[in-house]
Amino acid sequence: MNFDAMTAAPVNSAPRRAETLAALKAEERKLMTDRELIRALETLLQHADELDEKTRREAELTRREALRLERIPADALAEHNRLLGVASAAWREAKKRDDFGLFRPYLQGVFESSRRLALLARPESDPYDTLLDENEEGMSRAFLDPFFRGLREALVPLIGRIAKRPKPDASFLHGHFPREKQLAFSRELMGLMGIDGRRCALGEAEHPYTTFISRNDVRMTTHVYEDRVHANMFSILHEGGHALYELGISEELEGSPLGHGASAGMHESQSRLYENLIGRSRGFAELILPVLKRYFPEALGGVSPAEFFLAVNRAEPSMKRTEADELTYCLHVMIRYELEKALIRGDISAEDVPRRWNALCGEYLGIVPETDSEGCLQDMHWGSGLIGYFPTYALGNAYGAQILAHMKKELDFDGLISAGNIEPITLWLREHIHKYGMLKTPADLIRSASGEDFDPRYYVDYLTSKFSKLYRL
Ligand code: ZN
């Protein structure tokens, strides 16, 4: 229903769909909090050491969700969801009219309501830690504070040095690139990535995303801008990375609660791996430029792979997170993380958000947005109740760099990409990450795939080495 809503359904279908979804959610809650189910799960977990790994993990995760739902009264949850409905509509309007005041009371309400639910779900924990853990199992401020501090200390000076270097020419990425040709290119790129068209469909949406229905039914979307060629290409690579993850989950997990990607962060590690670690590599420029030239000979005919590689890696601070380059991306996440922490604690209120946003933007990125639309109103997340979610984007990037460093010990990563042979890379990921679904926690998955605990230094090293070379620092 969500995929339909984002791609094909007429706009007036929204209220009825919201009612139907609310009824389904209520039914799900009834089933999940059924006393008999919880008793059965508890009995199973009393015998945890007699269970196989899959049954034990299924029981643990199901009980965890059942307990969360049980502690939050049905009317409190319904109230929260109603609030999110009006808050996201208010956000859309506020963004369109560049009027933060329209969103301010709803933003305040969403943070207060989320804090209330977090305290109901886990009265003993800090509410922001509860929200972080709900979005990425095992995450907390105690982990993320030093993680972000480390990134900031390494990246802010690097960005400052790069700002003084000449910018590579990226003008050839802009021009006129007809929609039909971009869509035909998209399908060829999906083929190159090894995405099975019998199990994965492509649609178009305002904000590209991917829906997972089952391991044989994945729906990707992209967005074509006719005035530039790279946005759609990176959308396909990114969403294709999400799709390949779900398509690679072991058949034995079909229909199980474990039959999805391990976490939001782990999912993002796979999408960013295809988008950046593959898609913005030198080898990929060699591979993809001749393909692009077949579709757009006039615009790209005279461009060399070296020029293309430099253009898609042009790094400079910008206002929009979704269009940020690899180097500045995580600083956008940090702005949101700092604000979420302060809003949940009550250190600041919604009315302080534009001022605090702009101040952090200046501090981390060295630029300040001119309007709230391009500043604190740019993302849909808070209006939809996604609080504690942004950090998973940064974690995903860092997981990906660690996975890549380890994969490179076993595979000739760059050689495979320039030869157009992506399959061994996907098979490696399937074997070490994808096939497990939710069988392992994100931390266990990183450990088993790379042989060591999560270590963000891999990410800092990757960015420092790549961008120092690119900008001849
Ligand atoms: Zn993503």
Side-chain angles (χ1 to χ4, degrees):
M1 288 173 82
N2 284 327
F3 179 79
D4 182 54
M6 303 292 265
T7 52
V11 62
N12 287 359
S13 66
R16 185 57 193 267
R17 183 170 45 254
E19 271 173 45
T20 312
L21 284 169
L24 285 169
K25 278 234 176 285
E27 206 52 41
E28 181 196 21
R29 185 176 192 286
K30 232 185 277 167
L31 291 167
M32 282 292 287
T33 53
D34 179 67
R35 282 315 307 169
E36 213 164 315
L37 171 70
I38 293 176
R39 259 202 307 277
L41 291 168
E42 263 148 24
T43 308
L44 277 172
L45 289 167
Q46 278 157 13
H47 298 268
D49 48 2
E50 298 160 50
L51 300 177
D52 61 88
E53 192 189 8
K54 174 170 173 263
T55 312
R56 187 172 61 235
R57 180 86 172 138
E58 284 175 340
E60 278 166 5
L61 285 181
T62 313
R63 185 181 62 164
R64 191 177 123 122
E65 181 60 7
L67 288 183
R68 190 181 78 84
L69 286 171
E70 206 184 27
R71 286 180 181 160
I72 299 172
D75 48 349
L77 195 59
E79 175 94 18
H80 182 73
N81 287 331
R82 254 196 307 279
L83 172 64
L84 297 183
V86 284
S88 31
W91 164 76
R92 209 164 293 124
E93 199 55 25
K95 184 180 175 186
K96 199 163 81 191
R97 295 210 222 154
D98 186 31
D99 183 350
F100 179 76
L102 295 176
F103 184 47
R104 186 182 40 76
Y106 298 100
L107 180 63
Q108 185 68 30
V110 170
F111 270 86
E112 281 170 10
S113 174
S114 302
R115 180 190 156 82
R116 213 161 29 240
L117 294 197
L119 282 169
L120 282 168
R122 276 190 229 166
E124 70 288 358
S125 298
D126 172 89
Y128 191 51
D129 280 341
T130 299
L131 294 167
L132 288 170
D133 181 68
E134 280 173 10
N135 285 297
E136 186 77 7
E137 193 178 352
M139 268 314 130
S140 63
R141 289 165 308 150
F143 183 87
L144 289 171
D145 281 344
F147 167 71
F148 280 126
R149 199 180 321 118
L151 289 185
R152 199 159 57 228
E153 282 166 6
L155 298 183
V156 171
L158 184 60
I159 292 165
R161 288 164 69 200
I162 286 176
K164 299 192 188 95
R165 306 287 302 160
K167 293 272 167 287
D169 176 26
S171 59
F172 52 81
L173 300 174
H174 301 264
H176 183 69
F177 301 89
R179 185 171 156 274
E180 284 314 316
K181 284 194 176 179
Q182 288 207 46
L183 288 174
F185 166 76
S186 303
R187 281 184 281 273
E188 183 165 348
L189 177 54
M190 284 167 72
L192 256 175
M193 293 175 77
I195 296 171
D196 182 349
R198 293 165 308 172
R199 299 167 61 206
C200 178
L202 177 67
E204 285 178 84
E206 181 61 32
H207 302 282
Y209 71 103
T210 298
T211 302
F212 320 110
I213 294 163
S214 76
R215 67 185 291 284
N216 285 315
D217 187 355
V218 175
R219 317 280 178 95
M220 283 170 60
T221 58
T222 187
H223 188 92
V224 173
Y225 296 92
E226 289 200 306
D227 64 351
R228 62 200 107 145
V229 69
H230 53 304
N232 168 58
M233 179 176 89
F234 287 113
S235 265
I236 295 286
L237 286 162
H238 182 99
E239 300 307 326
H242 282 305
L244 284 168
Y245 191 171
E246 295 286 319
L247 294 168
I249 290 171
S250 155
E251 210 167 343
E252 285 125 57
L253 296 178
E254 173 92 79
S256 152
L258 308 180
H260 286 289
S263 69
M266 199 50 72
H267 240 296
E268 204 61 10
S269 78
Q270 301 306 294
S271 57
R272 301 285 283 181
L273 202 149
Y274 285 89
E275 177 191 353
N276 290 330
L277 307 185
I278 295 178
R280 286 189 165 88
S281 69
R282 179 62 213 254
F284 193 73
E286 308 269 352
L287 166 68
I288 209 64
L289 189 61
V291 180
L292 280 167
K293 283 183 182 183
R294 263 198 281 117
Y295 290 92
F296 310 106
E298 282 121 68
L300 299 171
V303 178
S304 72
E307 290 166 329
F308 188 79
F309 173 58
L310 285 171
V312 297
N313 282 296
R314 197 180 147 109
E316 63 191 325
S318 61
M319 293 302 166
K320 275 174 87 177
R321 175 185 60 84
T322 52
E323 288 168 18
D325 56 76
E326 255 187 297
L327 193 57
T328 54
Y329 185 84
C330 282
L331 298 173
H332 290 265
V333 176
M334 282 178 220
I335 293 170
R336 291 147 178 83
Y337 173 68
E338 293 301 331
L339 285 169
E340 288 186 344
K341 267 198 305 188
L343 279 163
I344 286 282
R345 261 201 317 257
D347 289 354
I348 63 169
S349 62
E351 67 179 319
D352 304 317
V353 165
R355 195 177 42 78
R356 283 296 297 145
W357 180 287
N358 294 354
L360 286 167
C361 229
E363 188 182 327
Y364 297 168
L365 293 163
I367 49 173
V368 176
E370 277 170 25
T371 65
D372 290 334
S373 266
E374 61 168 19
C376 65
L377 286 172
Q378 64 181 276
D379 299 300
M380 46 67 84
H381 297 61
W382 290 339
S384 340
L386 284 170
I387 296 167
Y389 189 88
F390 283 117
T392 67
Y393 294 135
L395 286 168
N397 285 320
Y399 291 160
Q402 182 166 346
I403 292 167
L404 175 72
H406 190 72
M407 186 201 293
K408 277 185 167 175
K409 292 184 208 152
E410 296 176 18
L411 293 181
D412 174 18
F413 183 77
D414 301 299
L416 287 168
I417 295 171
S418 49
N421 191 8
I422 310 241
E423 197 187 7
I425 296 172
T426 302
L427 288 177
W428 192 96
L429 291 169
R430 186 174 301 163
E431 199 46 39
H432 292 82
I433 307 278
H434 300 171
K435 71 171 187 190
Y436 293 107
M438 297 176 83
L439 199 56
K440 294 176 190 282
T441 63
D444 285 343
L445 209 45
I446 282 289
R447 204 174 299 121
S448 72
S450 72
E452 56 188 319
D453 286 337
F454 174 50
D455 184 350
R457 262 178 311 178
Y458 284 103
Y459 182 46
V460 170
D461 290 350
Y462 161 79
L463 288 175
T464 309
S465 127
K466 176 173 177 176
F467 284 90
S468 300
K469 253 185 245 147
L470 265 163
Y471 282 86
R472 303 173 191 277
L473 294 179

